[in-house]
Amino acid sequence: MPRHDNQLERGVPVNAVDTGSDHDDLRQPQDGIALCLSGGGYRAMLFHLGALWRLNELGYLPTLARISSVSGGSITAGVLGLKWAKLTFAANGVSAAFDAEVVQPIRSLASKTIDEGAVLGGILLPGSISDKVTDAYRKYLFGKATLQDLPGDSPRFVINATSVQTGALFRFSRPFVADYRVGMISNPTIELAVAVAASSAFPPVLSPLKLELDPSSWAPASGKKSEDLHREPFLSEAVLTDGGVYDNLGLETAWKTYKTVLVSNGGGKMQAEEEPHRDWARHSMRINDIIDNQVRSLRARQVIGAFEAGERKGTYWGIRTDVGDYHLADCLACDFTKTIELANTPTRLKRLDAPLQERLINWGYAVCDAAMRKWVEPGGPAPPGFPYGGGIG
């Protein structure tokens, strides 16, 4: 069987892990740990959930200064942020409430299909498809919670979408929302369900999400050349699509700011086609897939290259990683053939049965453990076993 690119998937050493402030867009990155959660629908949502499970056991969650997410990763991050105050970390940094407060709500959502209903509702009923996705997130996860219900200080949760109007990243966080070409809105009260729906508005079906804004809420242009669009209609409406269109790893807002970066990649991979469609619609979608696949690969190579050059500390783990490449004698057994089957789970917001949910969680848990104990926490305790019986299948 052809193997994956070992260099791209293996992660690299970290020499220290320090916490620090969480200012944004600094000229030089500061001490502190950031976690990036990629896109990938329910597949990534559950894969990241397993990774967070292991990070919790290792006592790393309360050391994080920033959690940056896109798309499916934003669902997981949104729940973690909303429930943060209820996690009550012990002195060792571990929360005993993680399963009840974070795992169970996400698994409950993974048992429901929301994309098909959203598409049908958007076609047949008033409101857009993205409105229906927002309603589902509101119903099953976030209620009426807003960005102000996220943690006030550390970690800062940054939920990323892409502006269709400006072509820039549109960042949702508790202190502000921002598009660097338009400006910044301080202390936004935008619903968390809306932010996550914008971040996961997969094109072309679930995209775009239109967000009405108060023009007076934007900070005045600072005189920077970058804020060249601080004017109408950009001040009154944001037209947004999936954050993964701009940055599928959720890397941008973490990489600029922190020296230590942990990257969890649950994203998909374009499959080969022997006979590509030639009609304009499907051919265009195929070309877009090729462009998207290349951008994802370049982002991952940027991460690995910077780690190897010593420009950043941290590690990378991916849903297509071979856990054997970490060469840990006590890592959890994960057959590469089985993990690739999990990696090929479609990128959908479609119901996954309980055994598949547990396999995806187990796989995220196992590969995060291997990456962390190899490069970030050498000599750290081996896990007692998979979160769920049955391993990765």
Side-chain angles (χ1 to χ4, degrees):
M1 168 182 288
R3 304 289 282 200
H4 65 299
D5 183 336
N6 290 342
Q7 184 183 38
L8 186 64
E9 295 285 2
R10 62 184 170 85
V12 293
V14 59
N15 298 319
V17 284
D18 303 307
T19 57
S21 61
D22 61 346
H23 301 297
D24 211 13
D25 294 338
L26 301 178
R27 290 184 179 274
Q28 294 295 329
Q30 61 185 336
D31 290 336
I33 309 173
L35 172 65
C36 301
L37 303 178
S38 79
Y42 280 176
R43 178 192 65 244
M45 176 183 77
L46 293 166
F47 177 78
H48 298 321
L49 183 60
L52 289 175
W53 196 318
R54 186 55 180 152
L55 290 175
N56 179 53
E57 289 181 349
L58 291 171
Y60 267 80
L61 290 185
T63 74
L64 298 175
R66 175 160 302 184
I67 298 174
S68 177
S69 62
V70 297
S71 199
S74 291
I75 306 173
T76 306
V79 175
L80 180 67
L82 181 61
K83 299 301 185 75
W84 191 264
K86 296 183 178 181
L87 294 182
T88 315
F89 295 101
N92 63 356
V94 178
S95 171
F98 180 79
D99 186 10
E101 296 295 340
V102 180
V103 175
Q104 294 309 314
I106 291 174
R107 289 204 60 184
S108 178
L109 177 68
S111 300
K112 301 172 177 65
T113 298
I114 65 175
D115 54 5
E116 290 179 356
V119 171
L120 290 174
I123 294 173
L124 301 175
L125 300 172
S128 68
I129 293 172
S130 60
D131 289 339
K132 309 307 178 188
V133 174
T134 302
D135 289 342
Y137 289 152
R138 190 180 289 123
K139 176 180 180 181
Y140 296 121
L141 292 179
F142 304 119
K144 293 290 187 179
T146 76
L147 294 172
Q148 296 307 304
D149 292 299
L150 295 174
D153 186 14
S154 186
R156 176 182 295 180
F157 286 79
V158 182
I159 296 170
N160 298 286
T162 304
S163 172
V164 181
Q165 297 156 298
T166 70
L169 204 64
F170 194 98
R171 296 169 288 175
F172 295 91
S173 67
R174 176 170 172 165
F176 59 82
V177 298
D179 178 323
Y180 85 95
R181 297 193 65 187
V182 181
M184 180 184 298
I185 299 174
S186 297
N187 303 314
T189 56
I190 295 168
E191 287 188 52
L192 189 53
V194 172
V196 174
S199 183
S200 59
F202 315 143
V205 179
L206 304 184
S207 174
L209 181 144
K210 294 183 179 181
L211 179 60
E212 294 185 2
L213 300 164
D214 177 3
S216 66
S217 65
W218 290 92
S222 62
K224 296 179 181 178
K225 291 183 179 180
S226 61
E227 292 183 343
D228 59 320
L229 299 177
H230 188 84
R231 56 178 172 79
E232 292 291 359
F234 305 101
L235 298 175
S236 59
E237 182 180 73
V239 182
L240 305 173
T241 192
D242 192 296
V245 172
Y246 185 95
D247 173 13
N248 192 57
L249 295 182
L251 194 64
E252 181 92 355
T253 61
W255 199 257
K256 291 180 178 179
T257 312
Y258 292 100
K259 293 180 180 178
T260 302
V261 183
L262 312 177
V263 182
S264 183
N265 185 5
K269 184 177 179 64
M270 186 188 70
Q271 301 299 312
E273 287 187 1
E274 294 183 357
E275 295 291 338
H277 296 290
R278 299 186 182 185
D279 60 279
W280 71 266
R282 287 181 293 180
H283 180 72
S284 296
M285 291 181 65
R286 178 65 176 175
I287 297 302
N288 285 337
D289 286 343
I290 294 172
I291 296 170
D292 176 69
N293 187 72
Q294 183 65 6
V295 171
R296 294 179 191 213
S297 297
L298 288 172
R299 284 278 185 179
R301 290 190 178 96
Q302 174 193 355
V303 172
I304 300 303
F307 284 159
E308 291 183 331
E311 297 171 4
R312 289 291 189 282
K313 306 166 187 177
T315 191
Y316 168 102
W317 59 88
I319 200 166
R320 293 179 178 274
T321 299
D322 185 344
V323 75
D325 289 340
Y326 293 105
H327 303 293
L328 289 178
D330 56 353
C331 69
L332 294 168
C334 297
D335 180 80
F336 184 66
T337 303
K338 296 295 185 181
T339 60
I340 287 299
E341 289 178 3
L342 293 175
N344 290 333
T345 303
T347 304
R348 291 280 308 276
L349 302 179
K350 182 179 180 181
R351 178 186 180 276
L352 301 177
D353 62 35
L356 180 53
Q357 290 184 34
E358 292 172 2
R359 291 169 61 204
L360 283 163
I361 293 170
N362 283 348
W363 175 218
Y365 176 97
V367 70
C368 171
D369 168 71
M372 291 294 291
R373 290 196 296 120
K374 179 67 176 183
W375 300 118
V376 179
E377 190 77 7
F386 287 104
Y388 299 102
I392 50 90

